[in-house]
Amino acid sequence: MTYQIPPNIELGEVKLKVSNLQRSVKFYQEVVGLKLLTPEMPDLPGDPLETADTLDILNPTARLTVDGKQALVVLEEIPNAKIVQPRSATGLYHFAILVPNREALGLSLRNLIESGIRIGQADHLVSEALYISDPDHNGIEIYVDRPRESWSMDAEGYYTMASDPLDWDGLLQEAEGKSWTGLPLGTIIGHVHFHVGELELAKEFYCDLLGFEIKLDARRQMGALFISAGGYHHHVGLNIWAGVGAPVPPENGTGLKYYTILMPNHAEWDKIVNRLKNAGISVKSGTSTAEQDRYYDAEDPFGIKLRLTYK
């Protein structure tokens, strides 16, 4: 029987490599709406980078949160960083922040407009999405799902998705008379989307090995695959928009350090790690200094790093 990844996986923290930590912390707080994660979550006066509990002086890192407990995004400043230009290498196309309702998306939209940042937008039928980039060209999607019962499928069993114009006015009406205080509780990492060098090889790794299911096969139409667990529209997007055979970015390049898949329990974690080992994929064990959680790190054929842990 073909292996399928458990339907109740979750995506955990995303770690990004940035060129200027202070600039990025300011962006992710003021524009995206995350908060610095510290043991007590106090109000942070002055320069946020003065908070020793949040930053590693030898390798400057900031952990950002919604709930004050778990990091959603981790930023690491890279010495002599080379800013990777969009669509020039394999790696991050965007990571996607899923907010719990349209009101939250409307509030984010209003804040993004007020920030003056360039905003992309799309109605994907299964979701409504806003697109921005951080100062290092790391792509970010902020989106809300439509109710799952409203998602439609085509004759091949794939979800019907589109990139229609977004109802900006309707979203802004949702936010009328309400204050934006950052991303609300219930916000999670909804999916990640990567540039890869070859879609068939990506399918072998993510579907045949890790066990994700194809929910939209757009290889011929747009050079992309959308895959998921548990019937979601996609947990991972894969595309060849940086070109077939796109190079791996340099080690000191900005972009993704790793993304995280949370397996539902220790047994399923062991199972997927052993599948990687048996396939000849190098896996490295470690323990999170912040959470004391055990994990394994692996790498796909395109240099994209994956962290596997369990709930």
Side-chain angles (χ1 to χ4, degrees):
M1 181 177 178
T2 303
Y3 173 77
Q4 285 190 322
I5 199 166
N8 53 341
I9 64 143
E10 296 175 9
L11 297 183
E13 68 182 30
V14 170
K15 187 169 186 178
L16 303 174
K17 298 184 288 183
V18 301
S19 61
N20 183 312
L21 188 61
Q22 182 170 341
R23 178 181 65 178
S24 291
V25 167
K26 181 178 175 68
F27 175 88
Y28 278 93
Q29 288 181 300
E30 297 180 2
V31 178
V32 178
L34 293 165
K35 302 175 180 67
L36 277 171
L37 177 59
T38 66
E40 296 82 24
M41 282 300 292
D43 292 327
L44 300 175
D47 183 349
L49 300 192
E50 294 174 354
T51 308
D53 287 335
T54 306
L55 301 176
D56 182 335
I57 301 303
L58 297 177
N59 193 18
T61 301
R63 304 174 71 238
L64 296 149
T65 184
V66 169
D67 63 6
K69 299 175 183 177
Q70 299 291 330
L72 201 70
V73 176
V74 181
L75 305 173
E76 179 183 356
E77 184 175 307
I78 302 300
N80 303 310
K82 176 179 175 58
I83 297 179
V84 176
Q85 296 302 308
R87 301 194 183 206
S88 65
T90 61
L92 188 68
Y93 176 53
H94 64 242
F95 69 95
I97 297 171
L98 174 60
V99 296
N101 50 53
R102 287 191 94 230
E103 178 186 308
L105 190 64
L107 287 164
S108 282
L109 173 57
R110 190 180 69 199
N111 184 67
L112 294 177
I113 292 170
E114 291 173 355
S115 77
I117 194 171
R118 182 177 178 179
I119 309 167
Q121 54 81 30
D123 184 334
H124 293 306
L125 305 183
V126 296
S127 63
E128 297 173 279
L130 305 171
Y131 295 92
I132 60 175
S133 295
D134 77 4
D136 292 296
H137 303 308
N138 293 311
I140 306 163
E141 177 180 343
I142 304 174
Y143 76 111
V144 65
D145 279 332
R146 286 202 165 93
R148 188 174 291 210
E149 58 269 20
S150 72
W151 303 352
S152 62
M153 287 188 173
D154 63 19
E156 296 180 272
Y158 297 137
Y159 283 126
T160 303
M161 301 187 209
S163 291
D164 294 339
L166 193 65
D167 178 14
W168 278 48
D169 291 339
L171 284 172
L172 290 173
Q173 286 175 7
E174 295 272 1
E176 281 185 4
K178 296 156 188 168
S179 298
W180 184 78
T181 57
L183 295 169
L185 292 177
T187 297
I188 61 173
I189 299 295
H191 64 267
V192 286
H193 193 156
F194 303 127
H195 293 298
V196 298
E198 182 189 334
L199 284 175
E200 188 56 38
L201 187 57
K203 175 186 171 296
E204 290 174 6
F205 182 84
Y206 286 96
C207 299
D208 301 343
L209 182 56
L210 292 185
F212 285 104
E213 179 184 12
I214 297 175
K215 301 311 296 181
L216 177 59
D217 187 345
R219 282 177 282 187
R220 291 184 179 179
Q221 303 95 318
M222 57 187 294
L225 273 173
F226 299 91
I227 62 178
S228 80
Y232 192 53
H233 53 73
H234 69 297
H235 286 106
V236 180
L238 304 161
N239 72 65
I240 49 169
W241 304 337
V244 174
V248 174
E251 188 62 31
N252 67 331
T254 56
L256 183 76
K257 180 78 175 261
Y258 62 78
Y259 70 103
T260 306
I261 295 178
L262 293 164
M263 301 299 287
N265 53 55
H266 191 282
E268 292 292 349
W269 179 62
D270 273 345
K271 186 183 297 184
I272 200 166
V273 168
N274 285 329
R275 284 184 62 80
L276 288 166
K277 290 178 178 178
N278 292 337
I281 305 296
S282 175
V283 294
K284 297 180 181 179
S285 63
T287 303
S288 166
T289 55
E291 306 293 343
Q292 298 303 311
D293 290 331
R294 294 174 58 208
Y295 61 80
Y296 278 96
D297 285 344
E299 194 171 292
D300 80 0
F302 315 101
I304 298 167
K305 292 181 174 61
L306 159 65
R307 176 159 292 184
L308 287 162
T309 185
Y310 59 94
K311 302 174 192 177

